[in-house]
Amino acid sequence: MMSVETIYTSMDRSDLDRNFGFLIHDVARLMKTAFDRRGRELGLTRSQWYVLTVIYAHEGAPQAELADVMDMERPTLGKLLDRLEDKEWVERRPDPDDRRVKRVYLTDKVQSLMRALRGIAADDRADAIAGIDDAERDRMIETLFKMKSNLLALGQGEDETGARTGTNSALAAADD
């Protein structure tokens, strides 16, 4: 087996232009940048937009659950929610069964903004997939779903330390 060092030193710099991981990262970064340009006009940060969108999808969920869904630290989400509450875009209500739990809801005041945000996101997606036919787009989406499933399954095969169990990782195999 080749060592990791051999793999990286034998990689041509031009390979990075077609490297799958770099491409996914670059496309995501460029989509975020495009959204930021358009969303800035609405006085909204990408983080705030993301929180509002997740709340839209999980209306009434407990704050802790939203933090888990967003893979965000609870204090970080709390600060974002504080700012959104100051703008009267969200409200936190106590859970009827457990007063320690706060459930998060969008307010009526933010509904028109959410419609505008969905329009901006749709425009960004349309710009990103311009020139890609329906069949190519469908294959890409199916491929991304499979990749997401594969990556989610990786976490299921780890012990408490994050080490892979059962099978050797590609890096461990490359070091042999």
Side-chain angles (χ1 to χ4, degrees):
M1 283 276 160
M2 270 202 239
S3 72
V4 172
E5 184 177 323
T6 304
I7 292 169
Y8 286 119
T9 57
S10 67
M11 185 186 308
D12 187 299
R13 289 189 195 278
S14 64
D15 291 343
L16 295 179
D17 292 337
R18 298 194 59 81
N19 178 288
F20 175 77
F22 281 96
L23 282 170
I24 290 283
H25 179 269
D26 286 347
V27 168
R29 179 181 51 80
L30 290 167
M31 287 188 72
K32 289 174 187 177
T33 300
F35 182 87
D36 283 346
R37 268 194 311 270
R38 292 174 170 162
R40 199 173 301 126
E41 299 166 7
L42 300 172
L44 190 70
T45 68
R46 186 181 336 119
S47 296
Q48 291 172 337
W49 169 80
Y50 180 56
V51 171
L52 290 171
T53 301
V54 171
I55 294 169
Y56 176 79
H58 301 275
E59 185 94 27
Q63 185 172 326
E65 182 181 313
L66 292 171
D68 291 342
V69 166
M70 290 184 270
D71 194 26
M72 186 180 288
E73 295 294 325
R74 290 176 185 183
T76 303
L77 176 60
K79 289 176 187 173
L80 282 165
L81 289 174
D82 289 343
R83 285 193 285 274
L84 294 172
E85 269 187 323
D86 289 345
K87 293 181 178 194
E88 298 179 355
W89 290 349
V90 300
E91 63 182 7
R92 291 180 265 203
R93 301 179 202 155
D95 183 284
D97 300 322
D98 186 347
R99 282 186 256 162
R100 297 170 297 169
V101 174
K102 299 291 184 195
R103 294 188 172 273
V104 185
Y105 298 86
L106 297 176
T107 65
D108 289 339
K109 188 173 182 174
V110 79
Q111 295 306 321
S112 62
L113 177 66
M114 293 301 293
R115 283 189 293 282
L117 290 172
R118 287 192 298 276
I120 289 170
D123 290 346
D124 285 345
R125 285 190 305 273
D127 291 345
I129 63 171
I132 299 173
D133 68 40
D134 290 347
E136 287 176 298
R137 186 195 68 232
D138 291 344
R139 277 193 308 277
M140 176 185 62
I141 289 170
E142 286 303 315
T143 300
L144 289 170
F145 269 127
K146 287 178 186 175
M147 292 172 54
K148 181 178 178 179
S149 294
N150 291 344
L151 293 169
L152 288 170
L154 287 177
Q156 295 173 0
E158 295 177 353
D159 64 16
E160 312 77 52
T161 67
R164 294 280 295 151
T165 58
T167 60
N168 292 333
S169 72
L171 289 177
D175 285 335
D176 289 340

